[in-house]
Amino acid sequence: MTPRMSAEIREPGLDELLIFIRDARGFDFTGYKRSSVARRISKRMNDIAVANYVDYRDVLETDAAEFSALFNTILINVTSFFRDPDCWAEVREQIIPELLEARPDGQIRVWSAGCSTGEEPYTLAILFAEILGEDEFANRVKIYGTDVDEDALREARSGTYPATSLAPVPADLRERYFASDGEQYTVNNDLRGRVIFGRHDITRDAPISRLDMLVCRNTLMYFNVETQKQIIDRYHFALRDGGYLFLGKAEMLLTDSNRFEVANLRRRLFRRRAGDTAQTPPALPPIQTPIQSELREVARRRRLRDLTIEAAPNAVVLVDVDGTVSMFNDLARDMFGLAATDLNRPFQDLELSHQPVDLRPMIEQAEAERRHLRVTAAERHLTNGSVEYIDVLLQPLFDDDKRKVGTALTFVDTTTASKLQNELQRTRQDLQKAYESLQSTNEELQASIEELETTNEELQSTNEELETTNEELESGNEELETMNEELRIRRGELDEARTFLSGVLSSIVAGVVVLDSQLRVRSWNRGAEELWGLRSHEVSQQPFFSLDFGLAVSHLRAIVEQCRTSRQRTGPVELAAVNRIGRKITCSVACSPLDDHGEGVVLLMEQLHRS
């Protein structure tokens, strides 16, 4: 830790800042480890160059976006599918079978607290689906995923992850429970529908109850000892007898052996001991000096209110200020499959809290803004594959002292009207598209007529051009025929000259060798063949000075280069040689330039005498 940061941690104002954050946004960081929170707030202050906590509070009051940046810095969302595979193997092979054996026909309730972006609840869902089968899993298991970070929950609800996040998931499970879209994978609808996500602060909010398993991995370690104890109290209250608590590898539960027994210390699996040792909430104080007539009047009014709600033409659900379900009418029972056991349950535990739309944040918004909110034509997908359209009205309720007491949720089935409206809208769109299509077709036909007229004129012009071109081709053909005749005459003359030259070279007794500008053999007459024993086709186009025969050609390079330079005859020179039959001779060689412009030469070789 740098000296600068240490000074910031000791600077007064941290407590006031944390209380401000709690009151302004509902994030209570006072129970977090002080050094950790101070360090992360200081990091954010360093990023925006703020010197102290007082000034940073001013920034938060004027810049709402800074809250999001701060929460992302403090809330460490580190999770993955099947994180610590050996721990999940223990859950798959030991814990889940024990839970199913203990409750052979009952519903299994699992809570993943601090679930971040949802990989952990989906991992649980995959394990249960693999063991039970997807149909029985859908009927028997409910999995809740909660976190205090709404941005992370938004990603969790989408159920969409990059391919890199699914690397720990075995290929067969990935193919069975995810749909691929390029580099993105999305949890299939059946699996997604069994996981309920919601915002929950484990330091403040009431826990989900009657749990068979509670997963909270590497979350407790960020809180101080006192807050950890309060959270463990809530977790103990939430679990059934024999329910499992699954912590992270960085967390221990060694000082609470009277309430939890160790199931697997290495995997951080603990089990709630039988017997209710949790503290029960204090009983409400008795009514002092009750007046029977007033009680009867209160009861009558309460009964009248209940009958009014029951007689309402739409489904109604009342949620009290603590977030529990206090009442619902028969239409709500029928529409959402509610039972008497759902009364006094946390609203977030009910499926209707997020189906057909996520109502939990909307309830908070309605109460905070003290106004009605309405959702129109929300889609609700039924198990038979059909779709219902529901309007939802959220009405915050306040007492005479303007204190909030709860929220009334009214659900209106607008399926028929919505379908008719959608059908009417589609019909209008189809008519509009048909009209636009006809209009476009008419314009295209008019344009086609104009194009055909233009094309006709172009064809006439093209025909005239073709006639002119035909005449030019006929004239060109005549010229080509004349040139062809001239070429035939010249070819004959060339053949005659070639024959004459070949005869001349053949008639010369001496050896005649013609070299081109690259000093390659172009001609090798019969005299050269008789003298050296090499045939014309053997030496044609070969470099002369690389030939190996009875004459030491290297001694000729000097007179050849002199001839090429002076463009005059050089030599003759006399060289010792060996003819084609192996006799030693003296050969006279003279070199003449081939023409006045090139660099080719003619070598004349004559045998003088034999030795």
Side-chain angles (χ1 to χ4, degrees), residues 584-596:
K584 295 181 179 180
I585 63 171
T586 298
C587 182
S588 174
V589 183
C591 182
S592 301
L594 184 60
D595 53 46
D596 294 335

Side-chain angles (χ1 to χ4, degrees), residues 19-33:
I19 293 172
F20 165 73
I21 295 172
R22 181 195 63 191
D23 295 340
R25 290 304 176 95
F27 282 83
D28 188 0
F29 296 119
T30 57
Y32 282 60
K33 291 181 179 177

Side-chain angles (χ1 to χ4, degrees), residues 199-433:
R199 186 185 183 281
H200 183 277
D201 187 344
I202 60 176
T203 66
R204 301 177 62 188
D205 298 333
I208 300 171
S209 59
R210 296 178 290 114
L211 298 173
D212 296 281
M213 185 175 184
L214 198 161
V215 180
C216 183
R217 309 191 67 216
N218 296 332
T219 301
L220 295 177
M221 63 182 183
Y222 296 110
F223 298 99
N224 58 38
V225 175
E226 180 182 355
T227 305
Q228 287 185 20
K229 183 180 182 304
Q230 294 173 357
I231 294 172
I232 292 299
D233 288 343
R234 291 187 175 95
Y235 286 175
H236 181 263
F237 176 79
L239 285 167
R240 304 179 193 266
D241 285 348
Y244 283 92
L245 177 61
F246 185 13
L247 300 180
K249 284 194 171 183
E251 298 161 329
M252 294 292 287
L253 195 65
L254 298 178
T255 60
D256 214 341
S257 58
N258 61 322
R259 295 190 296 179
F260 290 93
E261 62 181 354
V262 176
N264 189 319
L265 184 60
R266 184 178 180 185
R267 310 299 185 214
R268 301 298 190 269
L269 285 161
F270 304 89
R271 191 173 185 178
R272 187 188 192 275
R273 292 186 181 275
D276 186 10
T277 60
Q279 293 182 354
T280 57
L284 295 175
I287 300 176
Q288 302 296 324
T289 62
I291 302 175
Q292 297 299 325
S293 60
E294 291 184 3
L295 290 178
R296 285 195 297 271
E297 180 64 19
V298 170
R300 186 186 67 81
R301 291 178 180 177
R302 183 176 300 162
R303 178 60 178 166
L304 180 61
R305 180 200 64 189
D306 294 346
L307 290 174
T308 302
I309 293 175
E310 286 291 344
N314 302 305
V316 178
V317 177
L318 298 182
V319 181
D320 65 21
V321 70
D322 295 327
T324 59
V325 178
S326 61
M327 181 177 292
F328 47 78
N329 61 4
D330 286 340
L331 289 177
R333 292 188 187 93
D334 296 338
M335 180 177 289
F336 299 107
L338 300 177
T341 56
D342 292 318
L343 284 174
N344 299 319
R345 286 183 60 190
F347 179 68
Q348 64 182 13
D349 290 3
L350 301 183
E351 185 175 356
L352 71 88
S353 67
H354 64 89
Q355 288 289 351
V357 66
D358 193 350
L359 297 174
R360 291 160 292 190
M362 298 185 65
I363 291 175
E364 295 177 2
Q365 180 183 353
E367 292 178 347
E369 298 178 0
R370 293 176 173 264
R371 66 182 181 91
H372 296 180
L373 295 180
R374 182 182 296 275
V375 179
T376 58
E379 293 187 8
R380 180 176 180 235
H381 296 270
L382 304 181
T383 55
N384 60 6
S386 60
V387 178
E388 279 186 348
Y389 294 91
I390 298 176
D391 287 358
V392 185
L393 176 64
L394 296 91
Q395 299 171 283
L397 305 176
F398 302 92
D399 60 15
D400 294 340
D401 296 330
K402 303 300 181 182
R403 292 178 299 185
K404 60 184 180 182
V405 295
T407 303
L409 308 177
T410 304
F411 302 86
V412 182
D413 187 351
T414 61
T415 302
T416 302
S418 296
K419 288 183 177 179
L420 289 175
Q421 183 66 28
N422 292 340
E423 186 65 28
L424 177 60
Q425 185 66 22
R426 284 195 296 270
T427 302
R428 287 178 176 173
Q429 292 175 352
D430 292 342
L431 288 174
Q432 181 65 24
K433 290 179 180 177

Side-chain angles (χ1 to χ4, degrees), residues 515 519 544-545 551-575 589-593 599 601-603:
L515 306 180
L519 299 181
F544 176 72
F545 288 104
L551 181 64
V553 294
S554 59
H555 297 310
L556 298 177
R557 189 178 294 274
I559 66 169
V560 169
E561 292 299 331
Q562 180 181 355
C563 179
R564 294 176 71 188
T565 304
S566 64
R567 306 309 301 161
Q568 293 181 359
R569 176 183 173 87
T570 57
V573 295
E574 294 181 0
L575 300 174
V589 183
C591 182
S592 301
E599 295 182 359
V601 297
V602 178
L603 298 175

Side-chain angles (χ1 to χ4, degrees), residues 529-546:
E529 291 179 354
E530 292 295 330
L531 184 59
W532 308 117
L534 294 176
R535 301 301 177 186
S536 175
H537 68 274
E538 294 177 334
V539 298
S540 179
Q541 299 297 329
Q542 298 296 319
F544 176 72
F545 288 104
S546 67

